[in-house]
């Protein structure tokens, strides 16, 4: 596993590069987030592959998983009301965090959701493609 630091002063952050990180994810997230609730946004393709290890990845957190239909054609503003409703139903507050778990479409949508929900809440990405 390799860690790259993006040096931005008080806004610095690490990029962790590696494989088979699922068991280590709770440790890494606890280093930057002291909250309890995660709202994971993924797509149907990624969900099918990883749904059996969510507890390993997100164990120790109160988490909800929101699954989008896979594909670029599903990236549009019309999906946001459903995501916002799910965030409200999950009880997310400004102290909680959105996790983008997937490729570029998931990252774009999850980032927008995190930035616009309650004037912005925490956000991290777990990319599953080289492009994302």
């Amino acid at each position: 596993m390799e860690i790259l630091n993006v040096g931005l002063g008080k806004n610095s952050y690490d990029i962790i590069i590696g494989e088979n990180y699922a068991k280590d994810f709770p440790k890494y997230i606890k280093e930057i987030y002291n909250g309890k609730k995660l709202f994971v946004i993924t797509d149907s393709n990624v969900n099918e592959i990883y749904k059996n290890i969510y507890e390993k990845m997100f164990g120790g957190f109160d988490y909800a998983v929101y699954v989008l239909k896979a594909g670029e054609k599903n990236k549009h503003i019309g999906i946001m009301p459903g995501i916002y409703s799910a965030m409200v139903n999950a009880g997310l507050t400004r102290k909680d965090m959105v996790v983008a778990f997937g490729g570029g479409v998931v990252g774009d949508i999850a980032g927008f959701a995190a930035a616009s929900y309650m004037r912005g809440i925490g956000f991290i990405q777990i990319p599953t493609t080289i492009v994302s």
Side-chain angles (χ1 to χ4, degrees):
M1 196 157 296
E2 187 175 336
I3 299 176
L4 294 170
N5 181 265
V6 179
L8 299 172
K10 68 177 183 164
N11 295 317
S12 295
Y13 61 93
D14 290 335
I15 299 173
I16 301 167
I17 303 168
E19 296 179 41
N20 302 317
Y21 53 81
K23 68 179 175 30
D24 295 324
F25 180 74
K27 176 183 81 165
Y28 291 123
I29 193 64
K30 286 177 183 174
E31 289 176 9
I32 61 165
Y33 173 62
N34 61 6
K36 298 286 182 208
K37 197 172 291 189
L38 301 175
F39 188 79
V40 181
I41 299 177
T42 192
D43 71 25
S44 54
N45 291 339
V46 173
N47 186 62
E48 193 58 36
I49 295 167
Y50 292 100
K51 66 184 174 190
N52 294 326
I53 65 167
Y54 288 156
E55 188 56 37
K56 184 189 291 187
M57 292 181 68
F58 309 116
F61 295 98
D62 176 10
Y63 69 93
V65 178
Y66 187 88
V67 181
L68 306 167
K69 289 182 185 176
E72 187 77 29
K73 69 179 182 234
N74 297 305
K75 184 171 78 171
H76 55 83
I77 198 70
I79 64 169
M80 296 312 298
I83 294 171
Y84 292 140
S85 291
M87 293 169 90
V88 169
N89 290 338
L92 264 76
T93 69
R94 291 203 67 213
K95 295 180 181 179
D96 298 318
M97 182 172 281
V98 172
V99 177
F101 184 46
V105 170
V106 168
D108 291 347
I109 292 168
F112 182 78
S116 56
Y117 182 77
M118 294 188 155
R119 295 176 290 137
I121 64 173
F123 173 67
I124 61 169
Q125 287 193 245
I126 306 174
T128 57
T129 66
I130 197 75
V131 175
S132 62

